[in-house]
Amino acid sequence: MDEVDIEIVAEPALDAPVLIEGLPGVGHVGKLAVEHLLEEFDSELVRRVYSEHFPPQVSVGDTGLAELVCAELHAVETEGADLLVLTGDFQAQSNEGHYRLTNAFLDVAEEFGVERVFALGGVPTGELVEEYTVLGAATTETFVEELTETGVEFRADEPAGGIVGTSGLLLGLGARRGFEAACLMGETSGYLVDPKSAWAVLGVLQEYLDFEVEFGALEERADEMEDVVGKIQEMEQEQQPPVPTDEDLRYIG
Amino acid sequence: MDEVDIEIVAEPALDAPVLIEGLPGVGHVGKLAVEHLLEEFDSELVRRVYSEHFPPQVSVGDTGLAELVCAELHAVETEGADLLVLTGDFQAQSNEGHYRLTNAFLDVAEEFGVERVFALGGVPTGELVEEYTVLGAATTETFVEELTETGVEFRADEPAGGIVGTSGLLLGLGARRGFEAACLMGETSGYLVDPKSAWAVLGVLQEYLDFEVEFGALEERADEMEDVVGKIQEMEQEQQPPVPTDEDLRYIG
Amino acid sequence: MDEVDIEIVAEPALDAPVLIEGLPGVGHVGKLAVEHLLEEFDSELVRRVYSEHFPPQVSVGDTGLAELVCAELHAVETEGADLLVLTGDFQAQSNEGHYRLTNAFLDVAEEFGVERVFALGGVPTGELVEEYTVLGAATTETFVEELTETGVEFRADEPAGGIVGTSGLLLGLGARRGFEAACLMGETSGYLVDPKSAWAVLGVLQEYLDFEVEFGALEERADEMEDVVGKIQEMEQEQQPPVPTDEDLRYIG
Amino acid sequence: MDEVDIEIVAEPALDAPVLIEGLPGVGHVGKLAVEHLLEEFDSELVRRVYSEHFPPQVSVGDTGLAELVCAELHAVETEGADLLVLTGDFQAQSNEGHYRLTNAFLDVAEEFGVERVFALGGVPTGELVEEYTVLGAATTETFVEELTETGVEFRADEPAGGIVGTSGLLLGLGARRGFEAACLMGETSGYLVDPKSAWAVLGVLQEYLDFEVEFGALEERADEMEDVVGKIQEMEQEQQPPVPTDEDLRYIG
């Protein structure tokens, strides 16, 4: 096995597809958003990307079958645009790994004729969010303008710490390789898995790429989370506020 | 020295041997199990695998002789099947190391004509175990079915965190290279070295591969551990329960 | 992308320029000093150095545009000497990264005909500094003598822990590659971003390289910091002294 | 610069020299021992070994001159045997680094016709040592026997955690490359720099290799340390015992 090993699963012909990335991150916003796309649309798995930069791990599925951790790229055809959807359970585990895996993802994108890239994620506000603004960053001024018209907010020097991980590098390395890329970051508390924030991000994508997606399933998850938030708020009033750990979030999510 | 350096010690002719892995892990279940096999059967050391992914360390033996840490593969002929038994004192020390060493182990397996792989280990339950269930994960549905008949339990999405380290990658990388692989995980508290759990795992292996192994020595170790557990329980009733540290476990084991 | 990727932005003809490095470090002294040079003189960006040894990150600018983190080299012509000014927002994130990036910086320096290198930084004293001494270290005795005449202090075995990071390696690797290199370290408390210390360092450079730079802007920042220090001292007298965190310093700076 | 970069300083003809290693470690025993050899005998620096596996750092000397951290090999001719003495201020900073640097040291040893290797170090006892036993480990039975006759103690499975770092690998990798190697470990509390333990180790070496070295300087350092120990014991009787930190030891040493 090479350092990064791309398995070709299918080779559908796509029409200048848009790469949509949603790997785990703040509030699981990006991952929730792309999972929702893959549930609502017909999709075809086209690539698996294995790498020693992922954890040395297999996941075990419903029937006891073990599968090596990987990232996956799925082809989705919508009425508005063809999509190449990137998701998975892990980010790279080192700086070098992030650079090398992102370049591998962009190699696949290039093969499929991708010109535009959307990295989806969340941006933590530190408090429960009432209105779900989508913060943006992009690699060209035109892209900034177009997204501003769709309601995305661009704020000088925000997020303050920049954008890290695969999302950041899809913009940084993507721009250097000639892709036009944007990051859509749904505001989210940062404490909880946040389907509403994913919904807001998908709303932008839907308008910009001119497709329509049902939000029912996401709405249900959002309602479940509201119940959780409600209970937490009750508990806060009664006693010391509990601090949800990463572990809690995993199960809640 | 290369990154991974395989020393050829012997080249016995084996008949489609089964690779059995037991490196250090939860409750030392896997390591106890393969050590017991090597004690009970005649075995021949066939390979030593040295690597800079192991700690930079020599161990010192009975007579003051120093030996570079390594993993070892032993050939064992049983009435049921030939075995290639993999053991050692260390796992790789990094993600990349895990991937590269596991591939080296599979290279050796390939040379010897291995088709089936068993990774042995423990799965922590967090409490003292009464009945020693063996949890399984495998790379093919046939293998899952066959092992289910031997009493192995396959539970949807368990273990929750997947299987990490060499055991996990023997399944993950093994499957990609055409091996049929399974992981047998003896339930164990996770707090103590657990010969009974190793015994349960060996019981499955014995039935599936159709060999017979004496359990006397393992039983003795299990009795010793029961004494330890008994004493801990007494102490628990008298006072604050002691938390055994990694260091304790090493000496108890 | 290679491990280190040097983008050629411009190729001005420079006359044996002096390399001046000011990456983030103690009191941000080095970075403040070179930023001041770039603000006061006309400068031309000549190289961007990208690397997987930097964090996997883009920064987001005024207008929402994202840029991959990198180090930059700028050409500056002064009345005294031509300068090649190295700055950026990050140091390498690993030992190997430090060695490889510093060698890349020296490759660029070689291309431009650099013979002398100045690494700028701060040396922590642990207390508020009254008189801003500049401590030095250099790779040749001649250089030590010349800088001593400019008021730089050379103290046996100081700084005690040596000089680490890019600054240290510009001297260490630089000397091995035939550059004459010195490190100028402004004394600074180590607790606060310190424009006065940067000013002291620039004062040495100005005299040694025979150029003149306006200090107005740096003086203003110094005054702002004095106000901050004053407030901290007031607070110290009133109550327990606050310990500024890294995070505070970032915002103050 | 390569990953490991060996600078040839001198090429004296040596007669099957013995490699003596003393890098920083427990009680600085090994380093004190070889430093004493280099002070008492005429020696010639023959190699400097630079590497990105060392910290990215220069040390600053008496006159303000900066030098890149490295390991050094010195040739020493004694009446008993020629020596190749390896010392430096740092061990490698990673597992891989340890393996690669040790192999580089053995490359140099090979060039000079080395057949025997002594790795010097300390073994922590956890309490103040009254009688300075030297514990041994070696790569051949003959070597164990010979050293036993010189008073070295070989104890089954000790040290329990094996021997780590350069010392360990000089035995482990050395044996694989055909060197006969031993580690001499002076017992030491582990809390203090210990010249007496270094003295004990040198005593063995002196007898085995048939040379004579003056111990005056080491005795003086030992007396200084006794004073320190005495003061600590006084303080222990008066109050809570102080725990010397690494930092303290550095200055005391």
Side-chain angles (χ1 to χ4, degrees):
Chain A
M1 182 172 137
D2 293 321
E3 198 183 354
V4 177
D5 190 353
I6 300 173
E7 184 189 342
I8 297 175
V9 182
E11 287 284 26
L14 298 173
D15 182 19
V18 177
L19 179 66
I20 313 283
E21 173 263 337
L23 289 169
V26 180
H28 279 235
V29 174
K31 192 166 158 58
L32 283 174
V34 301
E35 277 177 353
H36 187 71
L37 284 179
L38 294 177
E39 277 160 28
E40 296 299 322
F41 287 108
D42 289 334
S43 70
E44 182 180 16
L45 176 64
V46 297
R47 295 286 187 282
R48 283 195 194 94
V49 181
Y50 298 99
S51 173
E52 62 184 31
H53 298 297
F54 286 131
Q57 191 169 336
V58 287
S59 56
V60 180
D62 285 359
T63 60
L65 284 180
E67 297 205 340
L68 186 56
V69 300
C70 65
E72 294 181 346
L73 290 125
H74 300 260
V76 174
E77 291 177 56
T78 75
E79 63 277 22
D82 286 357
L83 311 180
L84 193 62
V85 177
L86 168 63
T87 188
D89 289 333
F90 294 97
Q91 296 258 355
Q93 305 289 299
S94 70
N95 282 0
E96 290 83 354
H98 274 297
Y99 277 87
R100 295 182 194 179
L101 274 169
T102 304
N103 266 320
F105 299 146
L106 291 171
D107 289 345
V108 174
E110 218 163 65
E111 272 182 67
F112 278 98
V114 166
E115 290 165 10
R116 291 214 157 175
V117 176
F118 280 97
L120 311 186
V123 60
T125 61
E127 47 192 34
L128 293 178
V129 175
E130 299 288 318
E131 218 170 314
Y132 282 87
T133 304
V134 174
L135 186 65
T139 59
T140 66
E141 283 174 27
T142 319
F143 214 170
V144 171
E145 280 163 31
E146 288 172 11
L147 288 166
T148 304
E149 283 165 27
T150 331
V152 176
E153 280 196 20
F154 290 84
R155 300 183 198 136
D157 307 317
E158 283 201 33
I163 304 167
V164 296
T166 308
S167 290
L169 289 187
L170 282 172
L171 274 68
L173 294 174
R176 298 206 66 219
R177 291 177 60 165
F179 294 91
E180 199 166 27
C183 187
L184 301 179
M185 293 159 276
E187 287 195 332
T188 179
S189 68
Y191 303 133
L192 296 163
V193 168
D194 195 340
K196 278 209 172 164
S197 185
W199 185 352
V201 166
L202 280 181
V204 168
L205 214 57
Q206 186 180 242
E207 189 180 334
Y208 186 82
L209 295 178
D210 203 22
F211 63 78
E212 264 179 63
V213 64
E214 291 293 318
F215 282 117
L218 214 47
E219 217 163 340
E220 272 174 42
R221 290 194 82 166
D223 288 346
E224 284 166 34
M225 285 308 299
E226 296 251 302
D227 288 352
V228 172
V229 172
K231 277 175 201 153
I232 291 173
Q233 284 172 330
E234 267 176 46
M235 283 156 70
E236 269 179 353
Q237 286 167 351
E238 288 168 25
Q239 49 176 52
Q240 282 258 347
V243 180
T245 65
D246 273 16
E247 209 54 26
D248 293 338
L249 295 182
R250 193 163 302 154
Y251 295 125
I252 291 167
Chain B
M1 182 172 136
D2 293 322
E3 198 183 355
V4 177
D5 191 353
I6 300 175
E7 183 189 342
I8 297 176
V9 183
E11 286 286 27
L14 297 173
D15 182 18
V18 177
L19 179 65
I20 313 283
E21 172 263 337
L23 289 170
V26 179
H28 278 236
V29 174
K31 191 165 159 59
L32 282 174
V34 302
E35 276 177 354
H36 187 71
L37 284 180
L38 294 177
E39 277 161 25
E40 295 300 322
F41 287 109
D42 288 335
S43 69
E44 182 180 16
L45 176 64
V46 297
R47 294 287 186 281
R48 283 195 194 93
V49 180
Y50 298 99
S51 174
E52 62 183 29
H53 298 297
F54 287 131
Q57 191 170 335
V58 288
S59 56
V60 180
D62 285 359
T63 59
L65 284 180
E67 298 205 340
L68 186 56
V69 300
C70 66
E72 294 182 345
L73 290 126
H74 300 261
V76 173
E77 293 177 54
T78 76
E79 61 279 21
D82 285 357
L83 311 179
L84 194 62
V85 177
L86 168 61
T87 189
D89 289 332
F90 294 95
Q91 297 256 355
Q93 305 289 298
S94 69
N95 282 1
E96 290 82 356
H98 274 297
Y99 277 87
R100 295 182 194 178
L101 274 169
T102 303
N103 266 322
F105 299 147
L106 291 171
D107 289 344
V108 175
E110 218 163 66
E111 272 182 67
F112 277 98
V114 166
E115 290 164 9
R116 291 212 156 176
V117 176
F118 280 98
L120 310 186
V123 59
T125 60
E127 45 193 36
L128 293 177
V129 175
E130 299 287 319
E131 219 171 313
Y132 282 87
T133 305
V134 175
L135 185 65
T139 60
T140 66
E141 284 175 26
T142 321
F143 213 171
V144 171
E145 280 163 30
E146 287 172 11
L147 287 166
T148 304
E149 283 165 28
T150 331
V152 176
E153 281 195 20
F154 289 84
R155 299 183 198 137
D157 307 317
E158 284 200 30
I163 304 167
V164 296
T166 307
S167 289
L169 289 187
L170 282 172
L171 274 69
L173 294 174
R176 298 205 66 220
R177 292 177 59 165
F179 295 91
E180 200 167 26
C183 187
L184 300 178
M185 292 159 278
E187 286 195 334
T188 179
S189 67
Y191 303 134
L192 295 163
V193 168
D194 195 340
K196 277 207 172 166
S197 185
W199 186 349
V201 166
L202 279 180
V204 168
L205 214 58
Q206 185 179 242
E207 190 180 333
Y208 186 83
L209 295 178
D210 204 23
F211 63 77
E212 265 179 63
V213 63
E214 291 292 317
F215 282 118
L218 213 47
E219 219 163 337
E220 271 174 43
R221 290 193 81 167
D223 288 346
E224 285 166 31
M225 284 309 298
E226 297 252 300
D227 289 353
V228 172
V229 172
K231 276 175 201 155
I232 290 173
Q233 285 171 331
E234 267 176 48
M235 284 157 67
E236 269 179 353
Q237 287 166 352
E238 288 169 26
Q239 47 175 56
Q240 280 259 345
V243 179
T245 64
D246 273 17
E247 210 52 26
D248 294 338
L249 295 181
R250 194 163 299 155
Y251 295 126
I252 290 168
Chain C
M1 182 172 138
D2 293 321
E3 196 182 355
V4 177
D5 191 353
I6 300 174
E7 182 189 343
I8 298 175
V9 182
E11 287 284 26
L14 297 173
D15 182 19
V18 177
L19 179 67
I20 313 283
E21 173 263 338
L23 289 169
V26 180
H28 279 235
V29 174
K31 192 166 158 59
L32 282 175
V34 301
E35 277 177 353
H36 187 72
L37 284 180
L38 294 177
E39 277 160 27
E40 296 299 323
F41 287 107
D42 289 334
S43 69
E44 181 180 18
L45 176 64
V46 296
R47 295 285 186 281
R48 284 196 193 92
V49 181
Y50 298 99
S51 174
E52 62 183 30
H53 298 297
F54 286 130
Q57 191 169 333
V58 287
S59 56
V60 180
D62 285 0
T63 59
L65 284 180
E67 297 206 340
L68 186 56
V69 299
C70 66
E72 295 181 345
L73 290 125
H74 300 260
V76 173
E77 292 176 57
T78 75
E79 62 279 23
D82 285 358
L83 312 179
L84 194 62
V85 177
L86 168 62
T87 189
D89 289 332
F90 294 97
Q91 296 258 353
Q93 305 288 300
S94 69
N95 282 0
E96 290 83 355
H98 274 297
Y99 277 88
R100 294 181 194 179
L101 274 170
T102 303
N103 266 321
F105 299 146
L106 291 171
D107 289 345
V108 175
E110 219 163 66
E111 272 182 67
F112 277 98
V114 165
E115 290 166 10
R116 293 215 155 173
V117 176
F118 280 97
L120 310 187
V123 60
T125 60
E127 46 193 34
L128 293 177
V129 175
E130 300 287 317
E131 217 170 316
Y132 282 87
T133 305
V134 175
L135 185 65
T139 60
T140 66
E141 283 175 27
T142 320
F143 213 170
V144 171
E145 279 163 32
E146 287 172 11
L147 288 166
T148 304
E149 283 166 27
T150 331
V152 177
E153 281 196 21
F154 290 83
R155 299 183 198 138
D157 308 317
E158 284 200 32
I163 304 166
V164 297
T166 307
S167 290
L169 290 186
L170 282 172
L171 274 68
L173 294 173
R176 298 207 64 220
R177 292 177 60 164
F179 294 91
E180 200 166 26
C183 187
L184 300 178
M185 292 159 278
E187 287 196 331
T188 179
S189 68
Y191 303 133
L192 295 164
V193 168
D194 194 340
K196 276 209 172 165
S197 185
W199 183 352
V201 166
L202 280 180
V204 168
L205 213 58
Q206 186 179 243
E207 189 179 336
Y208 186 82
L209 294 178
D210 205 22
F211 63 78
E212 263 178 66
V213 64
E214 290 294 315
F215 283 117
L218 214 46
E219 217 162 340
E220 271 173 44
R221 290 194 81 165
D223 288 346
E224 283 166 33
M225 285 310 298
E226 296 252 301
D227 288 352
V228 172
V229 172
K231 276 175 201 152
I232 290 173
Q233 284 171 329
E234 266 175 48
M235 282 156 70
E236 268 179 353
Q237 286 167 350
E238 287 168 25
Q239 48 176 53
Q240 282 259 346
V243 180
T245 65
D246 273 16
E247 211 54 24
D248 293 337
L249 294 181
R250 193 163 302 155
Y251 295 126
I252 291 168
Chain D
M1 183 173 136
D2 293 321
E3 197 183 357
V4 177
D5 190 353
I6 300 174
E7 182 189 344
I8 297 175
V9 182
E11 286 285 27
L14 298 172
D15 182 18
V18 177
L19 180 66
I20 313 282
E21 172 263 337
L23 290 170
V26 180
H28 279 235
V29 174
K31 191 165 158 60
L32 282 174
V34 302
E35 275 177 355
H36 187 71
L37 284 180
L38 294 178
E39 276 160 27
E40 296 299 322
F41 288 108
D42 288 335
S43 69
E44 183 181 15
L45 176 65
V46 297
R47 294 287 186 282
R48 282 196 194 93
V49 181
Y50 299 98
S51 173
E52 62 183 29
H53 298 297
F54 286 131
Q57 191 169 337
V58 287
S59 56
V60 181
D62 285 359
T63 59
L65 284 180
E67 298 205 340
L68 187 56
V69 299
C70 65
E72 294 183 344
L73 290 126
H74 300 261
V76 174
E77 293 177 55
T78 75
E79 61 279 23
D82 285 358
L83 311 178
L84 194 62
V85 177
L86 169 61
T87 190
D89 289 331
F90 294 96
Q91 297 257 354
Q93 305 289 299
S94 69
N95 282 1
E96 290 82 357
H98 274 298
Y99 277 87
R100 295 182 194 178
L101 274 170
T102 303
N103 266 322
F105 299 147
L106 291 171
D107 289 344
V108 175
E110 219 162 67
E111 271 181 68
F112 276 98
V114 165
E115 291 166 9
R116 292 213 156 175
V117 176
F118 279 98
L120 310 186
V123 60
T125 61
E127 45 193 36
L128 292 177
V129 175
E130 299 287 318
E131 218 170 314
Y132 283 86
T133 305
V134 175
L135 185 66
T139 59
T140 66
E141 283 175 26
T142 320
F143 213 171
V144 171
E145 280 163 31
E146 288 172 9
L147 288 167
T148 304
E149 282 166 27
T150 331
V152 176
E153 281 195 22
F154 289 84
R155 300 183 198 140
D157 307 317
E158 284 201 31
I163 304 166
V164 297
T166 307
S167 290
L169 289 187
L170 282 172
L171 274 70
L173 295 173
R176 298 207 66 221
R177 292 178 60 165
F179 294 92
E180 200 166 26
C183 187
L184 301 178
M185 292 159 277
E187 287 194 332
T188 179
S189 67
Y191 303 132
L192 295 163
V193 168
D194 195 340
K196 277 208 171 165
S197 186
W199 184 350
V201 166
L202 279 180
V204 169
L205 213 58
Q206 185 178 243
E207 190 180 333
Y208 186 82
L209 295 178
D210 205 22
F211 63 78
E212 266 179 62
V213 64
E214 291 293 318
F215 282 117
L218 214 47
E219 218 162 339
E220 271 174 43
R221 289 192 83 166
D223 288 346
E224 285 166 31
M225 285 309 299
E226 296 252 300
D227 289 352
V228 172
V229 172
K231 275 174 202 154
I232 290 174
Q233 284 171 330
E234 267 176 48
M235 282 156 70
E236 268 178 355
Q237 287 167 350
E238 287 169 25
Q239 49 175 54
Q240 281 258 348
V243 180
T245 64
D246 275 15
E247 210 53 26
D248 293 338
L249 295 181
R250 193 163 301 156
Y251 296 126
I252 290 167

